[in-house]
Amino acid sequence: MNELGTALLDWLDERLDIRRGIEWATHKQVPIHRWSVFYYAGGVCLFLFLLQLASGILLLMYYRVGADSSYESVRYISSKVAFGWLIRSIHSWGANIMIFCVFVHMFSVFLMKAFRKPRELTWVTGCVLLGLCMAFGFSGYLLPWNELAYFATNVGTDIIGQVPVAGHWLLKLVRGGNDVTGATLSRFFGLHVAILPALLSLTIGAHLTFVQVQGMAHADESPKTMPFFPNFFLRDVMLWLVVLNAVAVLAVFFPWELGKKAEALASAPAGIKPEWYFLSQYQFLKLLPGKVLFIPGELLGIIALNAAGLFWLLTPFWDAVVPQEKKEAAVRLVGWGGLAALLAMTIWGRFS
Amino acid sequence: MKRLLMALLIAWPAAAFAQSQCVKCHAASDDAKQKAIVKSFASDIHREKGLSCHSCHGGDPAKSDMGEAMNPEAGFTGVPSRADIPKFCGKCHSQPSFMKKYNPSLPVDQELKYSTSVHGQKRKAGDDKVAVCSDCHTAHAIRPAKDPVSSVYAKNIPQTCGRCHADAKLMAPYKIPTDQLAKYTRSVHGKALLEKGDSAAPVCNTCHGNHGAVPPGVADISQVCGMCHVNNAEFFKSSPMAEPWAKRKFHLCATCHTAHDIQHPTTQLLSSENGVCLKCHRPESKQLQVATGIKSELELVESSYAGAEKAILAAEEKGMDMAEARDLWGAARMSMYQARTTVHTFRAQDVAKIADQGIASARKAAQAALDAVTDFRNRRVGLGVATLFISLLVLALYLKMRDIESGS
């Protein structure tokens, strides 16, 4: 480090005790074993979140929310603003890749049993982060106010109306009225750029704090480790750069289409389906009959999906009460079974 | 209960018709023609409305004795002669108070109009061959004009009229052409109706009228074409052509475009070699120079428009957003159509004014498309440079990491 760097570090250290943080990072160790590669998934999620934050802020400079302006402003961003097409495509592709990485991170954590004591809260905050990411995806999908987004939001919000007793009230709350209109667009915009970022930032903060306090879980008995800084961190940065390049390649070769402007009176386009990360739930609801005994099939499906989500969220707690000799089998069954079901339903939903 | 009442209301006319003695006897007749009448009347609009044989022909459908059922003294009229058919149908169709019970929106002037038509006039003069109501509408299988199976449904009208007017033998005494149906079928209007299924396309009665059918004279046809082609007619009326046209009693539109064989107009109509202007003007005349000027303006706007479309498609194929270029291209198309319409002013400067706007829009659209293709290439070059830079950075980090790890 040159003299200027040392002087700057001294200056900061004098005020913020920064050397203690560096010292801590240097001593933090990351386990080395055959599944270590999955430790990078969380970092990629964090990087993609930062990429989404940066590209989202840039889009916000030109995006104008409203039934008469959303579509037009996105069109303007894509065709007139310098590099607007790139930022929009990076934001759209980044969102999808981020959700994919969150799934990879979640299942790897589950199958490495990293949710066990003392990491229960890390797991719970991670599950909350997945929910927030999906809410981000759902709310952001409507913002261009195009035909696909309009009808997908209609179908998606219809499901909320199935909730017993409060369904209609919740539907009106989400849509800002009985139908998907400009009011819904304003609500989704507020949710997407203010409420969700605040919640996500706080939850990421908590999640990262837990990870730093507890360190990374050892997936096996291997005693080998590597220093987090700089060894693991350099690998992280290398992977982030590769991911950034991959997102850029997708943005250039497959720019995100805008399609036609939303038209309430137009008929829904044929074969309309939700985004891939909602396909498994969509396919599950589609398979249910109109009524199971006296309960509407869709309502039963929503209850089942929520129960499954709650079961998944409470993994560390039910795992703790499973007898020791059955613990491994239970985790394998739930983890691999859940992953297989998710993949099968998604693929079925895509091609049905 | 409501459903039962509805079912009864629908079933009642059919039941009443089936119970009629006329139907019983005529259906059981050995005469195939009589059987066919009963069969075809089953789907007739009059039967659907609750009318039966005696409603038109008189008689008593309740009597099983033929003499009593078809007693002229009791009002039986039997089969009307061809000469009497308009009056026969007019008994009801010329009575507003009667017709409004069945269809208040149906006109009641058909008989009157028929009497003013060429058909009606000739009929009055004793010609027994000319068309009467049943020739076009059929006698016992009458359906409303909106019904696709009706003989007077728009798409069926050319064949209905052509049944007589394309029959050279039948038309021979009248010394009128019989090629109208063939010409119409290959015309722009005929193709729109018969090939594209556009039921709004004009058909025989759109220009000639239906019940008051007349061969249009000079004044009439200008009105007829102008009903749809409003701007063309208005431009023509204010053009330098209007006065000489009127003097020579030329058909306003048909002189250049023909009457039944109207084709999609192209710039060839204005050609100095084989265009329609040569019918009256000499090739070296001033008027032909005007036509040539108009033609070149139209060709320029058409080629600019086509070129812009090609450029836009090329950019769209590469995934570029061409919404704005499409808007400009749309404006060029609008100007091109307007310029074609403005031809009917026969003033080159008027056409040029509109065409130039289209040419300018088309050029802007084409330029936007070309810029998009350039942008597309630049994006890939930029991505290549960025990938190279990122790869070098990753390599540098890797070397640094190896350096650190070999040191430790």
Side-chain angles (χ1 to χ4, degrees), chain B residues 314-327:
Chain B
E316 280 176 341
E317 267 178 27
K318 296 185 189 310
M320 303 304 286
D321 186 285
M322 286 285 94
E324 200 171 307
R326 280 277 176 204
D327 288 346

Side-chain angles (χ1 to χ4, degrees), chain B residues 293-306:
Chain B
I294 292 174
K295 181 171 176 278
S296 61
E297 278 291 343
L298 287 181
E299 283 171 349
L300 193 55
V301 70
E302 282 172 3
S303 63
S304 305
Y305 167 78

Side-chain angles (χ1 to χ4, degrees), chain A residues 13-347:
Chain A
D13 189 46
E14 207 177 329
R15 283 155 183 85
L16 300 169
D17 199 11
I18 201 165
R19 281 209 165 83
R20 205 165 71 167
I22 295 171
E23 185 74 8
W24 172 80
T26 318
H27 285 95
K28 180 178 153 68
Q29 294 291 313
V30 178
I32 302 174
H33 52 78
R34 60 186 173 142
W35 304 118
S36 286
V37 66
F38 286 105
Y39 287 150
Y40 298 100
V44 172
C45 293
L46 178 65
F47 168 70
L48 286 166
F49 168 66
L50 296 174
L51 188 68
Q52 289 303 100
L53 203 66
S55 55
I57 288 169
L58 289 173
L59 289 174
L60 212 50
M61 305 280 179
Y62 288 94
Y63 179 76
R64 287 182 292 125
V65 68
D68 296 327
S69 57
S70 286
Y71 180 85
E72 288 73 11
S73 61
V74 175
R75 172 132 273 165
Y76 184 78
I77 289 168
S78 303
S79 58
K80 290 283 172 193
V81 178
F83 295 105
W85 63 272
L86 181 66
I87 301 299
R88 177 170 177 253
S89 270
I90 282 180
H91 197 69
S92 304
W93 275 112
N96 281 275
I97 297 170
M98 181 177 161
I99 290 177
F100 177 76
C101 289
V102 170
F103 272 108
V104 171
H105 181 45
M106 184 179 70
F107 275 101
S108 63
V109 165
F110 187 95
L111 293 166
M112 286 195 276
K113 280 89 77 179
F115 53 79
R116 284 179 180 160
K117 190 181 173 184
R119 298 182 177 81
E120 296 95 328
L121 289 178
T122 320
W123 171 263
V124 170
T125 50
C127 286
V128 172
L129 283 172
L130 171 71
L132 289 173
C133 285
M134 290 173 88
F136 252 118
F138 187 64
S139 56
Y141 195 62
L142 180 68
L143 299 188
W145 198 241
N146 58 17
E147 206 176 43
L148 279 176
Y150 176 79
F151 287 105
T153 307
N154 251 310
V155 175
T157 48
D158 266 343
I159 293 170
I160 298 169
Q162 298 294 322
V163 174
V165 189
H168 185 64
W169 181 82
L170 280 173
L171 185 72
K172 280 184 88 169
L173 179 76
V174 169
R175 287 183 175 174
N178 287 323
D179 302 305
V180 175
T181 59
T184 321
L185 187 59
S186 297
R187 281 174 191 233
F188 275 43
F189 177 67
L191 197 67
H192 194 77
V193 304
I195 299 168
L196 289 175
L199 289 176
L200 198 82
S201 299
L202 283 173
T203 318
I204 284 181
H207 192 72
L208 286 177
T209 306
F210 297 158
V211 171
Q212 298 316 316
V213 168
Q214 294 153 348
M216 288 180 182
H218 284 253
D220 57 19
E221 298 308 314
S222 167
K224 282 169 50 181
T225 60
M226 75 164 100
F228 176 78
F229 192 84
N231 303 46
F232 189 82
F233 181 71
L234 280 175
R235 285 175 169 82
D236 249 346
V237 174
M238 279 162 61
L239 186 59
W240 293 0
L241 287 169
V242 171
V243 169
L244 176 68
N245 206 8
V247 174
V249 168
L250 287 169
V252 170
F253 282 91
F254 307 100
W256 211 263
E257 283 187 10
L258 181 56
K260 290 181 187 167
K261 187 177 176 175
E263 176 58 67
L265 297 175
S267 51
I272 188 163
K273 280 178 186 169
E275 284 283 81
W276 64 270
Y277 40 89
F278 289 118
L279 266 179
S280 57
Q281 299 96 305
Y282 163 79
Q283 183 62 21
F284 174 69
L285 291 175
K286 244 173 59 173
L287 292 176
L288 293 170
K291 285 233 171 183
V292 179
L293 297 175
F294 57 91
I295 308 167
E298 202 166 317
L299 175 62
L300 197 72
I302 292 163
I303 293 170
L305 286 172
N306 278 296
L310 190 65
F311 179 73
W312 189 254
L313 179 82
L314 298 175
T315 296
F317 306 103
W318 58 253
D319 173 72
V321 294
V322 172
Q324 189 62 38
E325 67 276 12
K326 291 180 180 170
K327 268 190 196 299
E328 297 308 305
V331 168
R332 269 203 301 274
L333 180 72
V334 174
W336 288 112
L339 183 61
L342 195 69
L343 285 174
M345 293 297 251
T346 303
I347 294 167

Side-chain angles (χ1 to χ4, degrees), chain B residues 36-74:
Chain B
I37 288 172
V38 173
K39 196 179 169 189
S40 63
F41 192 67
S43 59
D44 191 289
I45 181 66
H46 297 93
R47 192 201 64 74
E48 277 179 15
K49 297 283 183 186
L51 302 175
S52 192
C53 315
H54 66 284
S55 310
C56 297
H57 297 283
D60 189 346
K63 297 281 188 323
S64 57
D65 179 80
M66 200 189 289
E68 285 181 328
M70 301 198 293
N71 183 1
E73 285 175 16

